[in-house]
């Protein structure tokens, strides 16, 4: 299984996603820049829609038309620091 396969996602009200990738790696993806710089993602500025993020087809999806590639999520997220 590729390291960037998304197994779980937990959307946060600060427009970040807590992602669990293959092999249990947890990372945080900050969507704010993505949401405001990309017309494709503008509907996700609605927090109600944003909070409906789900892990599906090895990535994060909101609707049939809105998703983010798992490679992009992995490469542009940061490791969760263990406490």
């Amino acid at each position: 299984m590729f390291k960037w396969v998304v197994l779980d996602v937990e959307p946060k009200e600060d427009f970040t996603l807590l992602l669990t990738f293959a092999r249990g790696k947890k990372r945080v993806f900050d969507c704010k820049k993505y949401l405001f710089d990309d017309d494709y993602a503008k509907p996700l500025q609605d927090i109600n829609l944003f909070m409906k993020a789900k892990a599906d087809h090895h990535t994060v999806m909101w609707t049939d038309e809105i998703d983010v590639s798992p490679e992009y999520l992995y490469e542009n997220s940061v490791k969760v620091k263990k406490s």
Side-chain angles (χ1 to χ4, degrees):
M1 187 177 299
F2 292 104
K3 68 181 178 181
W4 41 257
V5 169
V6 177
L7 300 177
D8 190 45
V9 61
E10 185 179 336
K12 304 290 187 176
E13 290 189 1
D14 64 353
F15 291 100
T16 61
L17 300 172
L18 175 58
L19 303 164
T20 303
F21 288 92
R23 302 183 188 125
K25 294 185 184 222
K26 292 197 178 283
R27 299 177 67 89
V28 175
F29 179 77
D30 187 343
C31 293
K32 288 183 281 301
K33 180 177 182 348
Y34 179 72
L35 294 177
F36 296 100
D37 287 352
D38 191 335
D39 287 340
Y40 168 79
K42 282 202 183 209
L44 297 177
Q45 292 176 12
D46 175 351
I47 190 67
N48 295 312
L49 178 58
F50 182 81
M51 295 300 291
K52 292 180 180 179
K54 63 184 180 213
D56 197 5
H57 293 89
H58 305 295
T59 193
V60 175
M61 299 181 72
W62 287 269
T63 68
D64 289 340
E65 292 85 31
I66 304 173
D67 61 16
V68 182
S69 77
E71 299 96 328
Y72 185 85
L73 290 169
Y74 191 88
E75 292 170 3
N76 292 280
S77 59
V78 295
K79 290 180 187 178
V80 171
K81 295 180 180 178
K82 295 181 182 180
S83 47

Short mmCIF file of all heavy atoms in Angstrom, two decimals, residues 19-70:
data_model
loop_
_atom_site.label_atom_id
_atom_site.label_comp_id
_atom_site.label_asym_id
_atom_site.label_seq_id
_atom_site.Cartn_x
_atom_site.Cartn_y
_atom_site.Cartn_z
N LEU A 19 -5.32 13.83 9.17
CA LEU A 19 -5.32 12.71 8.23
C LEU A 19 -4.59 11.51 8.80
O LEU A 19 -3.55 11.66 9.45
CB LEU A 19 -4.62 13.13 6.94
CG LEU A 19 -5.20 14.36 6.24
CD1 LEU A 19 -4.21 14.89 5.22
CD2 LEU A 19 -6.52 14.01 5.59
N THR A 20 -5.13 10.34 8.57
CA THR A 20 -4.42 9.10 8.88
C THR A 20 -4.14 8.43 7.55
O THR A 20 -5.05 8.12 6.78
CB THR A 20 -5.27 8.16 9.76
OG1 THR A 20 -5.63 8.86 10.95
CG2 THR A 20 -4.48 6.91 10.12
N PHE A 21 -2.84 8.27 7.28
CA PHE A 21 -2.40 7.64 6.04
C PHE A 21 -2.07 6.17 6.30
O PHE A 21 -2.05 5.71 7.44
CB PHE A 21 -1.15 8.36 5.50
CG PHE A 21 -1.44 9.71 4.93
CD1 PHE A 21 -1.35 10.85 5.72
CD2 PHE A 21 -1.81 9.86 3.61
CE1 PHE A 21 -1.62 12.11 5.19
CE2 PHE A 21 -2.08 11.11 3.06
CZ PHE A 21 -1.99 12.23 3.86
N ALA A 22 -1.80 5.47 5.23
CA ALA A 22 -1.38 4.07 5.33
C ALA A 22 -0.22 3.96 6.31
O ALA A 22 0.55 4.91 6.49
CB ALA A 22 -0.96 3.56 3.95
N ARG A 23 -0.13 2.84 6.93
CA ARG A 23 0.89 2.55 7.95
C ARG A 23 0.68 3.38 9.21
O ARG A 23 1.59 3.56 10.01
CB ARG A 23 2.30 2.74 7.40
CG ARG A 23 2.59 1.86 6.19
CD ARG A 23 4.02 2.01 5.71
NE ARG A 23 4.18 1.30 4.46
CZ ARG A 23 4.64 1.86 3.36
NH1 ARG A 23 5.01 3.10 3.33
NH2 ARG A 23 4.74 1.15 2.26
N GLY A 24 -0.51 3.99 9.37
CA GLY A 24 -0.87 4.70 10.59
C GLY A 24 -0.26 6.08 10.76
O GLY A 24 -0.39 6.68 11.82
N LYS A 25 0.40 6.60 9.72
CA LYS A 25 1.01 7.92 9.84
C LYS A 25 -0.07 8.99 9.92
O LYS A 25 -0.97 9.04 9.09
CB LYS A 25 1.93 8.21 8.66
CG LYS A 25 3.12 7.30 8.65
CD LYS A 25 4.08 7.67 7.56
CE LYS A 25 5.19 6.64 7.56
NZ LYS A 25 6.48 7.18 7.40
N LYS A 26 0.04 9.87 10.93
CA LYS A 26 -0.90 10.96 11.11
C LYS A 26 -0.24 12.26 10.70
O LYS A 26 0.89 12.55 11.08
CB LYS A 26 -1.37 11.03 12.56
CG LYS A 26 -2.23 9.84 12.95
CD LYS A 26 -3.01 10.11 14.20
CE LYS A 26 -3.90 8.95 14.57
NZ LYS A 26 -5.09 8.86 13.77
N ARG A 27 -1.00 13.05 9.91
CA ARG A 27 -0.48 14.32 9.42
C ARG A 27 -1.63 15.34 9.43
O ARG A 27 -2.80 14.96 9.40
CB ARG A 27 0.10 14.17 8.02
CG ARG A 27 1.28 13.19 7.98
CD ARG A 27 1.83 12.97 6.60
NE ARG A 27 2.45 14.14 6.02
CZ ARG A 27 3.73 14.48 6.15
NH1 ARG A 27 4.53 13.72 6.87
NH2 ARG A 27 4.21 15.54 5.57
N VAL A 28 -1.28 16.62 9.45
CA VAL A 28 -2.27 17.70 9.42
C VAL A 28 -2.09 18.49 8.12
O VAL A 28 -0.98 18.92 7.79
CB VAL A 28 -2.12 18.64 10.64
CG1 VAL A 28 -3.07 19.83 10.52
CG2 VAL A 28 -2.38 17.88 11.93
N PHE A 29 -3.19 18.66 7.43
CA PHE A 29 -3.21 19.45 6.20
C PHE A 29 -4.00 20.72 6.47
O PHE A 29 -5.15 20.67 6.88
CB PHE A 29 -3.87 18.66 5.06
CG PHE A 29 -3.95 19.40 3.77
CD1 PHE A 29 -2.83 19.53 2.96
CD2 PHE A 29 -5.14 19.97 3.35
CE1 PHE A 29 -2.91 20.22 1.74
CE2 PHE A 29 -5.22 20.65 2.14
CZ PHE A 29 -4.10 20.77 1.34
N ASP A 30 -3.37 21.88 6.25
CA ASP A 30 -4.02 23.17 6.44
C ASP A 30 -4.67 23.57 5.12
O ASP A 30 -3.98 23.83 4.14
CB ASP A 30 -3.00 24.22 6.87
CG ASP A 30 -3.62 25.54 7.24
OD1 ASP A 30 -4.79 25.79 6.87
OD2 ASP A 30 -2.94 26.34 7.90
N CYS A 31 -5.98 23.62 5.09
CA CYS A 31 -6.72 23.89 3.86
C CYS A 31 -6.90 25.37 3.55
O CYS A 31 -7.36 25.71 2.47
CB CYS A 31 -8.12 23.26 3.95
SG CYS A 31 -8.11 21.48 3.99
N LYS A 32 -6.56 26.26 4.48
CA LYS A 32 -6.88 27.69 4.28
C LYS A 32 -6.32 28.25 2.97
O LYS A 32 -7.04 28.88 2.22
CB LYS A 32 -6.45 28.50 5.49
CG LYS A 32 -7.34 28.23 6.71
CD LYS A 32 -6.99 29.06 7.90
CE LYS A 32 -5.81 28.59 8.67
NZ LYS A 32 -5.87 27.25 9.22
N LYS A 33 -5.07 28.04 2.68
CA LYS A 33 -4.49 28.56 1.44
C LYS A 33 -5.18 27.92 0.24
O LYS A 33 -5.55 28.59 -0.72
CB LYS A 33 -2.99 28.30 1.40
CG LYS A 33 -2.32 28.82 0.14
CD LYS A 33 -0.83 28.59 0.20
CE LYS A 33 -0.03 29.07 -0.94
NZ LYS A 33 -0.58 29.50 -2.15
N TYR A 34 -5.38 26.64 0.31
CA TYR A 34 -6.04 25.90 -0.76
C TYR A 34 -7.45 26.42 -1.01
O TYR A 34 -7.87 26.62 -2.14
CB TYR A 34 -6.05 24.42 -0.36
CG TYR A 34 -6.70 23.48 -1.33
CD1 TYR A 34 -6.09 23.16 -2.53
CD2 TYR A 34 -7.92 22.88 -1.03
CE1 TYR A 34 -6.68 22.27 -3.42
CE2 TYR A 34 -8.51 21.99 -1.90
CZ TYR A 34 -7.89 21.70 -3.10
OH TYR A 34 -8.48 20.82 -3.97
N LEU A 35 -8.19 26.71 0.06
CA LEU A 35 -9.58 27.15 -0.07
C LEU A 35 -9.71 28.53 -0.69
O LEU A 35 -10.67 28.81 -1.39
CB LEU A 35 -10.26 27.17 1.31
CG LEU A 35 -10.44 25.83 1.98
CD1 LEU A 35 -11.05 26.02 3.36
CD2 LEU A 35 -11.30 24.91 1.15
N PHE A 36 -8.77 29.40 -0.40
CA PHE A 36 -8.90 30.77 -0.84
C PHE A 36 -8.11 31.09 -2.11
O PHE A 36 -8.31 32.13 -2.70
CB PHE A 36 -8.54 31.72 0.30
CG PHE A 36 -9.50 31.57 1.46
CD1 PHE A 36 -9.15 30.83 2.57
CD2 PHE A 36 -10.75 32.14 1.40
CE1 PHE A 36 -10.05 30.67 3.62
CE2 PHE A 36 -11.66 31.98 2.45
CZ PHE A 36 -11.30 31.25 3.56
N ASP A 37 -7.25 30.20 -2.54
CA ASP A 37 -6.45 30.42 -3.75
C ASP A 37 -6.95 29.63 -4.95
O ASP A 37 -6.46 29.81 -6.05
CB ASP A 37 -4.98 30.05 -3.51
CG ASP A 37 -4.27 31.06 -2.63
OD1 ASP A 37 -4.85 32.12 -2.34
OD2 ASP A 37 -3.13 30.78 -2.24
N ASP A 38 -7.90 28.77 -4.74
CA ASP A 38 -8.32 27.85 -5.80
C ASP A 38 -9.84 27.92 -5.98
O ASP A 38 -10.59 27.57 -5.07
CB ASP A 38 -7.88 26.43 -5.41
CG ASP A 38 -8.04 25.44 -6.54
OD1 ASP A 38 -8.88 25.66 -7.42
OD2 ASP A 38 -7.32 24.43 -6.51
N ASP A 39 -10.30 28.37 -7.14
CA ASP A 39 -11.74 28.48 -7.39
C ASP A 39 -12.45 27.15 -7.24
O ASP A 39 -13.60 27.09 -6.80
CB ASP A 39 -12.00 29.03 -8.80
CG ASP A 39 -11.70 30.51 -8.91
OD1 ASP A 39 -11.66 31.19 -7.86
OD2 ASP A 39 -11.51 30.99 -10.04
N TYR A 40 -11.77 26.08 -7.58
CA TYR A 40 -12.33 24.73 -7.48
C TYR A 40 -12.81 24.43 -6.06
O TYR A 40 -13.83 23.78 -5.86
CB TYR A 40 -11.25 23.73 -7.91
CG TYR A 40 -11.51 22.29 -7.64
CD1 TYR A 40 -12.36 21.55 -8.45
CD2 TYR A 40 -10.90 21.64 -6.57
CE1 TYR A 40 -12.60 20.20 -8.21
CE2 TYR A 40 -11.14 20.30 -6.32
CZ TYR A 40 -11.99 19.59 -7.15
OH TYR A 40 -12.22 18.26 -6.90
N ALA A 41 -12.08 24.94 -5.07
CA ALA A 41 -12.36 24.62 -3.67
C ALA A 41 -13.22 25.67 -2.96
O ALA A 41 -13.54 25.50 -1.80
CB ALA A 41 -11.06 24.43 -2.92
N LYS A 42 -13.60 26.73 -3.64
CA LYS A 42 -14.37 27.81 -2.98
C LYS A 42 -15.60 27.32 -2.23
O LYS A 42 -15.90 27.84 -1.15
CB LYS A 42 -14.73 28.90 -3.97
CG LYS A 42 -13.56 29.80 -4.22
CD LYS A 42 -13.97 31.13 -4.74
CE LYS A 42 -12.66 31.83 -4.98
NZ LYS A 42 -12.60 33.16 -4.90
N PRO A 43 -16.35 26.34 -2.73
CA PRO A 43 -17.52 25.88 -1.95
C PRO A 43 -17.14 25.40 -0.55
O PRO A 43 -17.97 25.44 0.36
CB PRO A 43 -18.08 24.74 -2.79
CG PRO A 43 -17.63 25.02 -4.19
CD PRO A 43 -16.28 25.67 -4.03
N LEU A 44 -15.90 24.99 -0.35
CA LEU A 44 -15.48 24.49 0.96
C LEU A 44 -15.25 25.60 1.97
O LEU A 44 -14.99 25.33 3.14
CB LEU A 44 -14.22 23.63 0.81
CG LEU A 44 -14.40 22.38 -0.02
CD1 LEU A 44 -13.07 21.65 -0.16
CD2 LEU A 44 -15.46 21.47 0.58
N GLN A 45 -15.38 26.85 1.55
CA GLN A 45 -15.33 27.95 2.51
C GLN A 45 -16.54 27.92 3.43
O GLN A 45 -16.52 28.50 4.50
CB GLN A 45 -15.24 29.30 1.78
CG GLN A 45 -13.93 29.49 1.06
CD GLN A 45 -13.88 30.77 0.26
OE1 GLN A 45 -14.74 31.64 0.40
NE2 GLN A 45 -12.88 30.91 -0.58
N ASP A 46 -17.57 27.21 3.02
CA ASP A 46 -18.75 26.98 3.87
C ASP A 46 -18.36 25.90 4.88
O ASP A 46 -18.16 24.74 4.52
CB ASP A 46 -19.92 26.52 3.01
CG ASP A 46 -21.15 26.14 3.80
OD1 ASP A 46 -21.10 26.06 5.06
OD2 ASP A 46 -22.20 25.91 3.17
N ILE A 47 -18.25 26.28 6.15
CA ILE A 47 -17.78 25.35 7.18
C ILE A 47 -18.67 24.12 7.27
O ILE A 47 -18.18 23.02 7.57
CB ILE A 47 -17.65 26.06 8.55
CG1 ILE A 47 -16.92 25.16 9.57
CG2 ILE A 47 -19.00 26.48 9.09
CD1 ILE A 47 -15.49 24.90 9.27
N ASN A 48 -19.95 24.26 6.99
CA ASN A 48 -20.85 23.11 7.06
C ASN A 48 -20.48 22.05 6.03
O ASN A 48 -20.50 20.85 6.31
CB ASN A 48 -22.31 23.53 6.90
CG ASN A 48 -22.77 24.40 8.05
OD1 ASN A 48 -22.55 24.08 9.20
ND2 ASN A 48 -23.40 25.51 7.72
N LEU A 49 -20.12 22.49 4.82
CA LEU A 49 -19.67 21.55 3.80
C LEU A 49 -18.28 21.01 4.14
O LEU A 49 -18.02 19.82 4.05
CB LEU A 49 -19.66 22.20 2.42
CG LEU A 49 -19.15 21.32 1.27
CD1 LEU A 49 -19.99 20.05 1.14
CD2 LEU A 49 -19.16 22.09 -0.04
N PHE A 50 -17.39 21.91 4.57
CA PHE A 50 -16.03 21.49 4.90
C PHE A 50 -16.02 20.36 5.94
O PHE A 50 -15.27 19.40 5.82
CB PHE A 50 -15.21 22.67 5.42
CG PHE A 50 -13.80 22.30 5.74
CD1 PHE A 50 -12.85 22.22 4.74
CD2 PHE A 50 -13.42 22.00 7.04
CE1 PHE A 50 -11.55 21.83 5.02
CE2 PHE A 50 -12.13 21.62 7.34
CZ PHE A 50 -11.18 21.54 6.33
N MET A 51 -16.89 20.47 6.92
CA MET A 51 -16.94 19.48 8.01
C MET A 51 -17.48 18.13 7.56
O MET A 51 -17.44 17.16 8.31
CB MET A 51 -17.76 20.02 9.18
CG MET A 51 -17.15 21.24 9.85
SD MET A 51 -15.51 20.94 10.56
CE MET A 51 -15.92 19.86 11.93
N LYS A 52 -17.94 18.03 6.33
CA LYS A 52 -18.44 16.76 5.80
C LYS A 52 -17.36 15.94 5.10
O LYS A 52 -17.65 14.95 4.44
CB LYS A 52 -19.61 17.01 4.84
CG LYS A 52 -20.84 17.55 5.56
CD LYS A 52 -21.98 17.79 4.61
CE LYS A 52 -23.18 18.33 5.39
NZ LYS A 52 -24.31 18.60 4.52
N ALA A 53 -16.11 16.36 5.24
CA ALA A 53 -15.00 15.62 4.61
C ALA A 53 -15.05 14.16 5.04
O ALA A 53 -15.32 13.85 6.20
CB ALA A 53 -13.67 16.24 5.01
N LYS A 54 -14.75 13.28 4.07
CA LYS A 54 -14.72 11.85 4.37
C LYS A 54 -13.57 11.21 3.60
O LYS A 54 -13.16 11.70 2.54
CB LYS A 54 -16.05 11.19 4.02
CG LYS A 54 -16.37 11.25 2.55
CD LYS A 54 -17.73 10.68 2.24
CE LYS A 54 -17.97 10.79 0.75
NZ LYS A 54 -19.29 11.00 0.36
N ALA A 55 -13.05 10.14 4.16
CA ALA A 55 -12.02 9.37 3.48
C ALA A 55 -12.74 8.38 2.56
O ALA A 55 -13.56 7.59 3.01
CB ALA A 55 -11.15 8.64 4.47
N ASP A 56 -12.45 8.49 1.26
CA ASP A 56 -13.09 7.62 0.28
C ASP A 56 -12.17 7.52 -0.94
O ASP A 56 -11.52 8.50 -1.31
CB ASP A 56 -14.44 8.22 -0.12
CG ASP A 56 -15.36 7.23 -0.81
OD1 ASP A 56 -15.01 6.03 -0.89
OD2 ASP A 56 -16.43 7.64 -1.26
N HIS A 57 -12.11 6.37 -1.54
CA HIS A 57 -11.26 6.13 -2.71
C HIS A 57 -9.79 6.52 -2.46
O HIS A 57 -9.14 7.12 -3.31
CB HIS A 57 -11.81 6.88 -3.94
CG HIS A 57 -13.11 6.34 -4.43
ND1 HIS A 57 -14.32 6.80 -3.95
CD2 HIS A 57 -13.41 5.38 -5.32
CE1 HIS A 57 -15.30 6.16 -4.55
NE2 HIS A 57 -14.77 5.27 -5.36
N HIS A 58 -9.31 6.25 -1.24
CA HIS A 58 -7.91 6.49 -0.84
C HIS A 58 -7.55 7.97 -0.73
O HIS A 58 -6.37 8.31 -0.71
CB HIS A 58 -6.93 5.79 -1.77
CG HIS A 58 -7.17 4.33 -1.89
ND1 HIS A 58 -7.03 3.47 -0.82
CD2 HIS A 58 -7.56 3.58 -2.95
CE1 HIS A 58 -7.32 2.25 -1.23
NE2 HIS A 58 -7.65 2.28 -2.50
N THR A 59 -8.55 8.86 -0.65
CA THR A 59 -8.26 10.28 -0.53
C THR A 59 -9.36 10.93 0.30
O THR A 59 -10.15 10.26 0.95
CB THR A 59 -8.13 10.93 -1.93
OG1 THR A 59 -7.57 12.24 -1.74
CG2 THR A 59 -9.44 11.02 -2.67
N VAL A 60 -9.39 12.28 0.29
CA VAL A 60 -10.43 13.02 1.00
C VAL A 60 -11.41 13.57 -0.02
O VAL A 60 -11.00 14.18 -1.01
CB VAL A 60 -9.82 14.17 1.83
CG1 VAL A 60 -10.92 15.01 2.48
CG2 VAL A 60 -8.89 13.62 2.89
N MET A 61 -12.69 13.35 0.26
CA MET A 61 -13.75 13.82 -0.64
C MET A 61 -14.81 14.55 0.18
O MET A 61 -15.03 14.24 1.34
CB MET A 61 -14.40 12.65 -1.36
CG MET A 61 -13.46 11.85 -2.22
SD MET A 61 -14.28 10.49 -3.08
CE MET A 61 -15.22 11.41 -4.29
N TRP A 62 -15.43 15.51 -0.47
CA TRP A 62 -16.58 16.20 0.12
C TRP A 62 -17.84 15.89 -0.68
O TRP A 62 -18.89 15.66 -0.13
CB TRP A 62 -16.34 17.71 0.17
CG TRP A 62 -15.35 18.10 1.21
CD1 TRP A 62 -15.62 18.45 2.50
CD2 TRP A 62 -13.94 18.20 1.06
NE1 TRP A 62 -14.47 18.73 3.17
CE2 TRP A 62 -13.41 18.60 2.30
CE3 TRP A 62 -13.05 17.97 0.01
CZ2 TRP A 62 -12.05 18.78 2.52
CZ3 TRP A 62 -11.71 18.16 0.23
CH2 TRP A 62 -11.21 18.56 1.46
N THR A 63 -17.72 15.97 -1.99
CA THR A 63 -18.82 15.65 -2.90
C THR A 63 -18.23 14.84 -4.04
O THR A 63 -17.00 14.65 -4.11
CB THR A 63 -19.47 16.93 -3.48
OG1 THR A 63 -18.54 17.57 -4.36
CG2 THR A 63 -19.91 17.90 -2.39
N ASP A 64 -19.07 14.44 -4.97
CA ASP A 64 -18.55 13.73 -6.15
C ASP A 64 -17.66 14.62 -7.00
O ASP A 64 -16.86 14.14 -7.79
CB ASP A 64 -19.70 13.20 -7.00
CG ASP A 64 -20.42 12.05 -6.34
OD1 ASP A 64 -19.84 11.41 -5.43
OD2 ASP A 64 -21.57 11.76 -6.73
N GLU A 65 -17.79 15.94 -6.84
CA GLU A 65 -17.01 16.88 -7.65
C GLU A 65 -15.81 17.47 -6.91
O GLU A 65 -14.95 18.08 -7.53
CB GLU A 65 -17.89 18.04 -8.13
CG GLU A 65 -18.97 17.65 -9.12
CD GLU A 65 -20.24 17.14 -8.45
OE1 GLU A 65 -20.56 17.58 -7.34
OE2 GLU A 65 -20.91 16.28 -9.04
N ILE A 66 -15.77 17.36 -5.59
CA ILE A 66 -14.70 18.01 -4.83
C ILE A 66 -13.91 16.98 -4.04
O ILE A 66 -14.43 16.33 -3.15
CB ILE A 66 -15.26 19.08 -3.87
CG1 ILE A 66 -16.09 20.12 -4.62
CG2 ILE A 66 -14.12 19.76 -3.12
CD1 ILE A 66 -16.81 21.11 -3.73
N ASP A 67 -12.63 16.86 -4.40
CA ASP A 67 -11.71 16.00 -3.67
C ASP A 67 -10.30 16.58 -3.81
O ASP A 67 -10.11 17.57 -4.51
CB ASP A 67 -11.77 14.56 -4.17
CG ASP A 67 -11.39 14.41 -5.63
OD1 ASP A 67 -10.79 15.35 -6.22
OD2 ASP A 67 -11.68 13.36 -6.21
N VAL A 68 -9.36 15.99 -3.13
CA VAL A 68 -7.96 16.42 -3.20
C VAL A 68 -7.13 15.16 -3.40
O VAL A 68 -7.37 14.14 -2.75
CB VAL A 68 -7.51 17.12 -1.90
CG1 VAL A 68 -6.08 17.61 -2.02
CG2 VAL A 68 -8.43 18.28 -1.55
N SER A 69 -6.15 15.22 -4.27
CA SER A 69 -5.35 14.02 -4.52
C SER A 69 -4.59 13.63 -3.26
O SER A 69 -4.10 14.48 -2.51
CB SER A 69 -4.37 14.24 -5.68
OG SER A 69 -3.28 15.01 -5.26
N PRO A 70 -4.49 12.33 -3.00
CA PRO A 70 -3.80 11.90 -1.78
C PRO A 70 -2.32 12.27 -1.79
O PRO A 70 -1.76 12.57 -0.73
CB PRO A 70 -4.01 10.39 -1.77
CG PRO A 70 -4.31 10.02 -3.19
CD PRO A 70 -5.00 11.21 -3.79
#
